[in-house]
């Protein structure tokens, strides 16, 4: 894929990605891991390792299609931001989100890079990310600040992407939110 892009041959890049997805990923890998994904307990090492591999595969595929399908790659960012927003809003039921300054701390990686595509500056009052979060101000960082206010509310979780129904689900582990 990288060689195809280097030679400006998008058709070859698409064919290589399509072959990988249909033959290697769908035809082989999914068939050997489906029992681990559907039958193993949620916290089992086998299932978690499989989810980690799928997250890395999604990362690679998203990066590979971004040059020719940027809107599809950006959709991952919006899906992730909406899942984070839902977590934030559920923690402040009945309150006006626009009264809060939100800090989103995400480990470096694809999700962080996708969130950066929604907010160019580290802190903003008018970015796409701030609009999606419905907050007064949003700070995007790769680590929680050390100087958090004493009245800050912390919430942490991670978002797993279900490849079947494209749903983002939360579970406990970073990213972290504070407001």
């Amino acid at each position: 894929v990288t060689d195809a892009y280097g030679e400006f041959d998008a058709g070859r890049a698409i064919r290589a990605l399509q072959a990988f997805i249909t033959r290697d990923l769908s035809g082989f890998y999914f068939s050997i891991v489906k029992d681990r994904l559907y039958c193993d307990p949620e916290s089992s090492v086998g299932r978690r390792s499989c989810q980690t591999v799928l997250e890395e595969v999604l990362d690679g595929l998203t990066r590979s299609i971004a040059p020719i399908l940027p809107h599809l790659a950006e959709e991952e960012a919006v899906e992730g931001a909406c899942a984070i927003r839902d977590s934030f809003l559920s923690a402040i039921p009945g309150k006006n989100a626009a009264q809060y300054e939100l800090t989103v701390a995400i480990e470096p990686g694809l999700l962080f890079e996708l969130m950066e595509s929604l907010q160019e500056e580290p802190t903003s009052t008018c970015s796409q990310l701030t609009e999606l979060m419905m907050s007064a101000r949003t700070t995007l960082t790769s680590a929680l600040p050390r100087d958090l206010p004493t009245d800050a509310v912390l919430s942490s979780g991670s978002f797993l992407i279900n490849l079947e129904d494209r749903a983002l689900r939360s579970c406990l582990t970073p990213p972290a939110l504070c407001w």
Side-chain angles (χ1 to χ4, degrees):
V1 173
T2 303
D3 291 343
Y5 282 137
E7 296 169 11
F8 301 99
D9 190 349
R12 194 172 98 206
I14 290 170
R15 286 190 299 278
L17 287 168
Q18 184 178 20
F20 171 74
I21 291 168
T22 57
R23 186 180 52 234
D24 301 329
L25 197 57
S26 181
F28 178 71
Y29 187 71
F30 288 155
S31 67
I32 64 173
V33 299
K34 64 183 169 192
D35 288 338
R36 280 195 283 170
L37 287 172
Y38 296 115
C39 302
D40 286 5
E42 285 186 23
S43 60
S44 73
V45 173
R47 182 175 179 176
R48 299 292 294 164
S49 66
C50 184
Q51 289 171 331
T52 300
V53 168
L54 291 176
E55 182 181 355
E56 291 296 319
V57 168
L58 178 64
D59 177 70
L61 288 173
T62 303
R63 290 172 192 270
S64 296
I65 64 166
I68 51 178
L69 296 171
H71 297 293
L72 183 60
E74 186 177 308
E75 187 176 316
E76 284 296 319
V78 173
E79 291 277 337
C82 289
I84 293 170
R85 179 201 57 218
D86 293 345
S87 176
F88 167 52
L89 294 177
S90 68
I92 57 164
K95 296 185 180 171
N96 183 357
Q99 297 174 340
Y100 291 89
E101 293 186 8
L102 179 66
T103 299
V104 180
I106 303 174
E107 292 178 7
L110 178 63
L111 183 58
F112 184 81
E113 291 174 23
L114 291 171
M115 292 299 120
E116 280 186 316
S117 73
L118 299 175
Q119 178 166 300
E120 293 178 15
E121 300 295 322
T123 300
S124 178
T125 58
C126 59
S127 68
Q128 288 179 315
L129 184 60
T130 301
E131 287 181 28
L132 282 168
M133 294 299 149
M134 299 188 295
S135 61
R137 176 189 322 241
T138 303
T139 300
L140 180 62
T141 180
S142 59
L144 276 176
R146 295 179 191 262
D147 59 343
L148 288 175
T150 55
D151 62 343
V153 177
L154 293 175
S155 174
S156 65
S158 67
F159 298 91
L160 301 175
I161 299 169
N162 179 336
L163 295 176
E164 261 184 51
D165 62 9
R166 296 186 48 85
L168 286 153
R169 299 209 171 98
S170 63
C171 66
L172 297 176
T173 54
L177 307 173
C178 66
W179 54 90

